[in-house]
Amino acid sequence: MLIMTRRLYFAAAHRELPNSELTGNTYTLDVAVRGPINERTGLLVNIKELDRIVKERVLNQIDGKCLNDRISFFQTQPATPENIATYIAETIQPLLPSEVQLHSIRLQPTPVLYTEWFSQLTEAANMLLTKIYEFSASHRLHSDHLSEEENRDLFGKCNNPNGHGHNYELEVTICGPINPTTGRVLPPECLDAIVEREVLSRYDHRYLNLDVPEFAHVVPSAEMIVKTIWERLRPCIPTPARLYRLRLYETPRNLFEYSEADQKE
């Protein structure tokens, strides 16, 4: 099976709740379909046909519009990114060519937040919500289990006794059902408070080896940082939501991911 993603854009205004303020976003929409490659055409699906379906049935109805006024679905449901992604998925899924299936919908209303609908999530009606955070910290890669020479050989410049720093980018993804009242998997401000308390206030502008107790005798590699953050955040996410995935960018070229699949191994 092959997965192909088509990116589109639209702008829309909305009220998340009936009495809330009218706001708007320019959305990035990724529509992913999966299926076998047609040996005759070499294609998974005709992109023009996919564009036509999405534009005619979704974008023409919502682009430049107020969702609550235009779409009956949002007259009874909060116009949150989670519900918008669900509406798009449910609208286009039965209209796709028979040779492909809808794999996922990824909707990004801001540079630091996106939601994902997946056809193959194990629990029905579950969504993924991701929020992106930044923190700066310094560290020294040095293991108590190795000799000074072994540490220098293994870690090189990263073994500098005075340490070195990074501007880290952390993606926190939670999974759960959409709350019918709020339209959210978890209110972003609730996730913000948890990440601020458990991660940012502890790690930001710190020398991890000396300032953070969990790294006193643990090498603060990016691998161990993302695993430690997982262990701090996981018990703090209120049910029925749960921590699903962490991605830690140490540099634009170094990405480390830890997920609930890793936890089960």
Side-chain angles (χ1 to χ4, degrees):
M1 288 288 184
L2 181 76
I3 296 173
M4 187 204 76
T5 300
R6 182 66 166 167
R7 175 162 289 183
L8 304 103
Y9 303 91
F10 68 93
H14 65 276
R15 293 181 180 87
E16 286 199 4
L17 299 173
N19 297 321
S20 62
E21 183 179 352
L22 183 67
T23 61
N25 296 97
T26 298
Y27 295 88
T28 300
L29 170 64
D30 290 344
V31 178
V33 296
R34 60 185 174 89
I37 300 173
N38 184 312
E39 294 184 2
R40 181 170 172 269
T41 65
L43 301 176
L44 173 63
V45 67
N46 186 333
I47 291 179
K48 292 181 180 178
E49 176 63 9
L50 181 60
D51 280 355
R52 183 193 65 79
I53 293 170
V54 177
K55 290 177 180 178
E56 285 186 2
R57 297 305 182 99
V58 177
L59 300 191
N60 287 351
Q61 316 306 318
I62 65 177
D63 189 28
K65 309 296 194 304
C66 176
L67 298 178
N68 310 77
D69 298 337
R70 182 75 178 188
I71 306 298
S72 59
F73 180 88
F74 298 111
Q75 294 172 3
T76 57
Q77 301 289 332
T80 58
E82 291 94 324
N83 275 336
I84 298 171
T86 300
Y87 165 77
I88 293 173
E90 292 178 350
T91 299
I92 67 174
Q93 190 170 25
L95 303 173
L96 293 174
S98 59
E99 63 268 21
V100 297
Q101 296 176 315
L102 185 61
H103 172 71
S104 63
I105 295 291
R106 183 183 188 273
L107 186 67
Q108 183 162 7
T110 77
V112 298
L113 185 143
Y114 62 90
T115 189
E116 295 166 282
W117 175 98
F118 278 95
S119 63
Q120 294 183 312
L121 276 177
T122 53
E123 297 91 350
N126 274 10
M127 298 284 295
L128 302 184
L129 178 69
T130 298
K131 191 77 185 287
I132 302 171
Y133 303 90
E134 294 180 346
F135 65 93
S136 300
S138 60
H139 63 170
R140 182 194 186 198
L141 300 187
H142 186 91
S143 172
D144 296 340
H145 303 288
L146 303 176
S147 68
E148 293 291 334
E149 183 178 357
E150 288 173 325
N151 272 291
R152 286 193 298 271
D153 289 343
L154 177 60
F155 298 121
K157 293 186 293 184
C158 296
N159 187 239
N160 173 28
N162 293 320
H164 65 284
H166 298 281
N167 293 319
Y168 294 93
E169 184 175 284
L170 175 67
E171 294 189 5
V172 179
T173 300
I174 58 173
C175 180
I178 300 174
N179 182 297
T181 301
T182 66
R184 292 286 191 179
V185 173
L186 185 70
E189 58 271 20
C190 178
L191 184 59
D192 290 346
I194 294 169
V195 175
E196 173 64 32
R197 182 184 70 240
E198 298 297 328
V199 181
L200 304 184
S201 66
R202 295 174 61 84
Y203 293 4
D204 192 32
H205 286 76
R206 299 291 194 274
Y207 186 17
L208 299 179
N209 306 65
L210 300 181
D211 296 336
V212 181
E214 49 261 46
F215 295 117
H217 301 290
V218 173
V219 180
S221 61
E223 293 91 332
M224 290 305 301
I225 293 171
V226 72
K227 183 175 184 294
T228 301
I229 291 174
W230 175 276
E231 291 169 350
R232 293 198 63 85
L233 289 180
R234 186 179 62 82
C236 299
I237 304 300
T239 56
R242 68 183 190 274
L243 188 60
Y244 181 82
R245 181 182 66 220
L246 295 179
R247 287 177 175 154
L248 182 69
Y249 288 84
E250 185 179 52
T251 73
R253 297 173 61 191
N254 292 344
L255 167 63
F256 301 83
E257 183 171 317
Y258 197 87
S259 71
E260 63 179 11
D262 300 301
Q263 187 74 11
K264 294 174 183 176
E265 292 180 354

